[in-house]
Amino acid sequence: MADFSAPIFSLKNISLHFGLNPLFDDLTLHIKYGDKICLIGRNGSGKSTLLKVISGQMDVDSGEVFSQPAIKVVYMDQESNLSGFKTLKEYICSGLSKEDAHAEYKADILIDKLDINALQEVETASGGEKKKASLAHALIQEPDILLLDEPTNHLDIVTIEMLEDIIQNFSGAVIVISHDRRFLTNISTSTIWLDRGSLHVNDKGYAFFNEWQEEIINQEIIEQKNLNKRIQEETEWLHKGVTARRKRNMGRLRRLQQLRLERKNQIKQTGSVKLEVDKGAIQSKLISEAKHVSKSFGERCLVKDFSIRILRGNKIGIVGPNGAGKSTLIKLLTKRLEPDSGFVRIAKNLEEGYFDQNRIELDPKKTLWKTLCPEGDHIFVRGHYRHVVSYLKDFLFTSAQANSPVGILSGGEKNRLMLALILSKPSNFLVLDEPTNDLDIDTLDLLQEVLDEYDGTVLIVSHDRDFLDKVAVSLLYMKGDGSILEHVGTYSDLLGILKQKEHKKIPVKEKVKDEGIVKSVQLQPKVKKITFTQKHQLEKLPSQIEAMEKEAKLLENKLNDPVLYQEDPKKFNEYALKLTDLKNKIEEAENLWLELQLLLEEN
């Protein structure tokens, strides 16, 4: 019988250096059966590296690594490699041992539980489908220690809740890296904080992290002062930033509650008989208005008879299962996509900032400084000039990193730089599509603070429940059948309402054992299958769009030549007309790609 009180894996006084810089120094960690550990630390602090050391993928420079005999450790990377497998089921089954090679029923159980399209080809699978397959591949190996690196990325909320249930009932040990605070709170029983090469361990879950972190920070400051040591610039700034943001949380909460009350009144006013009387006041604040908008792709209706008025200062979250049409709704509300029926109008002089991790490109050879400030050393941000280093510090970069190339940043640090770049540009309307992926918790705190102080309008697509609860004034819930419900309040409240509705719909004989989960089968109706021709078209479109964008760039460069119009106005007009036509074709191609991608994600 296993001894659940004894460590099954230990790291004792380990050190690991990259070049001259120590990543870990004299680090000790013990793992026992039943541990549900959340691993916290800033981007670039070495969290993923620590998991690779535990899994045996990376050696340490010094110290002792001990494991009890026959202990199996499985590491699920942030981006698992599924190449070499034709279907998702084939990849999942590859995790079976030689002894269980014919036990496909184990794969079928996980496929059913995680609602995976087993026959989906790996090459055309969406990010969410690949992530679910990676989870099943890890679980089918029946590890003693399960290491999960950002497992909630690309997953919708229904699947995240299902993963919580799996982890809570897992008999072995689990270590999780995640930015999703609600997820960490629900699954963790202990916390380890990796901070500047040192590991702090707490036998309580993430729910107690903030208070515990402040205790450590305050104790460090006292010790450093007592030893007459100069607090390093980075350390002092980090400590002050964390403490200050914690103290401002209550003020942000009060402001958010007031904004929610205002949004409720706006919705009542729009739906009341006094609409005509108040029309002038509403119009002066109008950012976007949709009336009886519908949008379908083939037989699939994503938006059905939807109306909304988005006013200045509204911060609206968009939630729903993968493939429900969240990106389509954003495209409609920003007039990137025309509805099949109804109409959308947006305010004049709208300055939009758009965050899309898949489209914003950073030059890996450029420094952080040159990325934000190509010329000089000051950047104009929200009406004020800021020194570029000072602005970088706002986004948790040190002064030493300012002249470092973008290429050496971690994934989370690159996303942080993308946010800094977008938020540095003038805007009164922010559209954020999954802004929280790969961000560490300190950066999420910072992003919440920035959005709280932002006096413009914000549309946010996110699966991070805690982030939405603290930022969004109201939520648009897309069930997946075209219907859209606006809820003023937190996601937690919305989930309670949805569960009550699902409870009423399910007959007594068909109720499932776990009523705490809104079943994905209720949220995701059957969809039309994508054809071979459409798949081929989807594969070709990105290169076609890229070629058209390059041609458009060349035309723009020619039109920017001040001599061209003076010497050959006819040629100038010819280029201008060609550029307009090309941009229309690019937009049509992007809309087609979006339609096909949505159809693919539903298969």
Side-chain angles (χ1 to χ4, degrees):
M1 184 175 177
D3 182 1
F4 285 84
S5 63
I8 57 175
F9 187 95
S10 294
L11 300 174
K12 294 182 179 179
N13 307 118
I14 69 162
S15 296
L16 180 63
H17 291 69
F18 284 160
L20 298 174
N21 300 317
L23 191 60
F24 311 135
D25 190 19
D26 201 27
L27 183 149
T28 295
L29 174 66
H30 302 290
I31 303 171
K32 304 188 296 294
Y33 273 118
D35 280 347
K36 305 293 188 295
I37 303 170
C38 62
L39 175 55
I40 308 298
R42 287 171 58 195
N43 291 134
S45 62
K47 301 187 298 295
S48 296
T49 302
L50 180 58
L51 293 192
K52 289 175 182 177
V53 168
I54 296 172
S55 66
Q57 295 182 27
M58 189 171 288
D59 295 327
V60 298
D61 295 332
S62 61
E64 182 182 348
V65 179
F66 168 78
S67 175
Q68 285 190 9
I71 290 296
K72 180 183 284 188
V73 182
V74 172
Y75 172 46
M76 192 191 84
D77 204 339
Q78 288 187 41
E79 299 294 336
S80 300
N81 183 8
L82 279 66
S83 61
F85 299 96
K86 186 176 181 182
T87 65
L88 295 180
K89 183 173 182 178
E90 185 180 321
Y91 170 67
I92 294 167
C93 288
S94 70
L96 290 166
S97 63
K98 292 182 180 180
E99 295 77 14
D100 281 347
H102 300 291
E104 286 193 11
Y105 72 91
K106 292 184 178 181
D108 293 333
I109 291 171
L110 289 166
I111 286 168
D112 182 62
K113 189 173 184 66
L114 292 170
D115 193 24
I116 298 170
N117 184 352
L119 300 181
Q120 175 69 54
E121 293 184 2
V122 167
E123 288 185 1
T124 55
S126 66
E129 286 290 337
K130 288 180 179 178
K131 180 66 75 172
K132 290 194 287 186
S134 298
L135 283 167
H137 180 265
L139 291 166
I140 204 170
Q141 297 178 60
E142 300 178 346
D144 299 284
I145 301 175
L146 178 62
L147 308 175
L148 301 175
D149 197 342
E150 293 290 359
T152 63
N153 279 356
H154 306 295
L155 297 184
D156 57 34
I157 295 172
V158 173
T159 309
I160 291 172
E161 291 177 340
M162 203 173 296
L163 178 59
E164 287 175 1
D165 181 63
I166 289 171
I167 292 174
Q168 287 164 356
N169 293 293
F170 187 74
S171 60
V174 182
I175 303 181
V176 178
I177 298 172
S178 178
H179 65 272
D180 188 327
R181 285 172 283 199
R182 184 69 52 79
F183 174 71
L184 293 178
T185 298
N186 291 346
I187 61 99
S188 63
T189 58
S190 59
T191 307
I192 52 181
W193 178 31
L194 188 56
D195 179 39
R196 288 161 288 143
S198 298
L199 197 68
H200 306 279
V201 182
N202 188 17
D203 61 0
K204 294 181 179 179
Y206 181 76
F208 302 91
F209 174 69
N210 288 343
E211 295 82 358
W212 174 60
Q213 183 191 41
E214 279 199 41
E215 288 176 9
I216 295 172
I217 287 172
N218 291 334
Q219 185 60 38
E220 276 190 4
I221 292 173
I222 292 169
E223 289 175 359
Q224 287 173 327
K225 285 182 177 178
N226 288 342
L227 292 171
N228 294 319
K229 286 186 177 180
R230 174 182 170 273
I231 300 176
Q232 292 181 356
E233 180 185 340
E234 177 189 357
T235 307
E236 182 179 21
W237 161 77
L238 170 64
H239 290 172
K240 287 180 178 178
V242 168
T243 306
R245 285 197 295 275
R246 301 284 182 247
K247 289 179 180 178
R248 286 196 290 267
N249 276 348
M250 289 307 296
R252 291 216 308 261
L253 182 59
R254 286 192 294 270
R255 174 174 162 79
L256 193 56
Q257 289 169 341
Q258 177 61 32
L259 289 171
R260 283 174 178 153
L261 180 61
E262 290 175 11
R263 183 59 182 165
K264 283 182 180 178
N265 291 332
Q266 289 168 2
I267 293 171
K268 287 178 183 177
Q269 185 182 39
T270 302
S272 73
V273 293
K274 296 180 181 179
L275 177 62
E276 293 303 319
V277 177
D278 298 323
K279 191 173 182 181
I282 292 175
Q283 280 186 328
S284 66
K285 299 178 181 179
L286 187 68
I287 297 299
S288 176
E289 180 182 29
K291 278 196 174 182
H292 305 293
V293 167
S294 295
K295 185 66 183 179
S296 298
F297 295 117
E299 297 177 1
R300 174 74 161 134
C301 179
L302 292 177
V303 178
K304 181 169 61 180
D305 193 26
F306 176 62
S307 299
I308 190 174
R309 277 186 168 183
I310 300 173
L311 305 184
R312 188 173 65 240
N314 288 164
K315 295 179 174 67
I316 299 175
I318 303 176
V319 297
N322 285 338
K326 298 185 291 295
S327 294
T328 297
L329 182 58
I330 281 183
K331 296 273 186 183
L332 290 169
L333 293 176
T334 57
K335 298 208 72 173
R336 285 180 169 82
L337 189 63
E338 288 298 317
D340 298 333
S341 60
F343 76 88
V344 176
R345 59 173 176 157
I346 59 176
K348 294 179 180 178
N349 303 320
L350 203 60
E351 293 181 292
E352 182 186 286
Y354 191 85
F355 179 90
D356 183 344
Q357 293 183 68
N358 297 320
R359 295 191 181 184
I360 298 176
E361 295 183 1
L362 298 173
D363 186 342
K365 295 179 182 178
K366 278 188 179 180
T367 64
L368 278 67
W369 184 311
K370 291 298 182 184
T371 298
L372 291 175
C373 188
E375 302 292 336
D377 56 9
H378 279 74
I379 184 171
F380 193 70
V381 181
R382 292 188 287 279
H384 302 283
Y385 278 100
R386 298 278 308 279
H387 194 281
V388 65
V389 174
S390 173
Y391 182 65
L392 279 167
K393 286 182 179 180
D394 286 351
F395 288 84
L396 311 183
F397 292 105
T398 66
S399 54
Q401 288 178 292
N403 289 305
S404 300
V406 171
I408 68 170
L409 298 178
S410 67
E413 287 172 322
K414 287 176 182 176
N415 284 354
R416 198 193 305 160
L417 183 60
M418 289 177 187
L419 284 169
L421 185 60
I422 288 170
L423 294 171
S424 69
K425 297 176 181 178
S427 72
N428 51 25
F429 184 35
L430 285 178
V431 180
L432 306 176
D433 196 351
E434 289 291 353
T436 63
N437 280 353
D438 298 322
L439 296 182
D440 57 40
I441 289 168
D442 282 341
T443 310
L444 282 173
D445 278 340
L446 170 69
L447 181 56
Q448 287 170 14
E449 188 172 320
V450 169
L451 294 179
D452 176 65
E453 294 173 354
Y454 184 73
D455 57 7
T457 302
V458 186
L459 279 182
I460 312 164
V461 175
S462 180
H463 298 303
D464 190 320
R465 296 157 292 179
D466 185 80
F467 178 76
L468 289 171
D469 280 359
K470 292 176 179 176
V471 170
V473 172
S474 66
L475 300 170
L476 296 177
Y477 171 67
M478 305 186 72
K479 184 176 180 180
D481 60 357
S483 63
I484 302 174
L485 165 71
E486 182 167 12
H487 169 76
V488 179
T490 66
Y491 173 79
S492 306
D493 294 336
L494 172 62
L495 186 60
I497 294 169
L498 295 175
K499 286 177 180 176
Q500 286 180 359
K501 288 183 178 180
E502 292 299 325
H503 183 81
K504 291 176 181 177
K505 284 182 181 179
I506 302 173
V508 176
K509 291 182 180 179
E510 296 179 9
K511 284 183 183 176
V512 291
K513 291 181 180 179
D514 185 358
E515 295 181 348
I517 298 175
V518 181
K519 289 300 178 182
S520 58
V521 71
Q522 293 286 335
L523 297 178
Q524 301 181 43
K526 296 291 183 181
V527 296
K528 183 180 177 182
K529 294 290 183 182
I530 190 168
T531 66
F532 175 82
T533 303
Q534 288 171 323
K535 282 184 182 179
H536 181 71
Q537 196 174 18
L538 182 62
E539 292 170 357
K540 294 291 184 184
L541 275 171
S543 59
Q544 292 171 358
I545 292 170
E546 185 181 0
M548 287 191 289
E549 286 176 337
K550 286 181 179 178
E551 187 179 352
K553 187 67 176 175
L554 289 173
L555 286 170
E556 286 174 345
N557 290 338
K558 290 178 181 178
L559 289 168
N560 287 333
D561 184 357
V563 180
L564 176 63
Y565 185 76
Q566 296 174 359
E567 294 184 348
D568 195 348
K570 187 178 178 181
K571 181 67 72 175
F572 180 92
N573 291 331
E574 180 184 329
Y575 286 159
L577 287 172
K578 190 174 181 180
L579 180 61
T580 301
D581 180 60
L582 199 56
K583 286 186 174 180
N584 288 334
K585 287 181 178 178
I586 291 171
E587 185 176 357
E588 289 173 3
E590 286 178 338
N591 287 339
L592 178 59
W593 179 88
L594 173 66
E595 294 175 19
L596 295 175
Q597 186 65 32
L598 284 168
L599 188 59
L600 175 64
E601 289 177 0
E602 286 299 311
N603 279 259

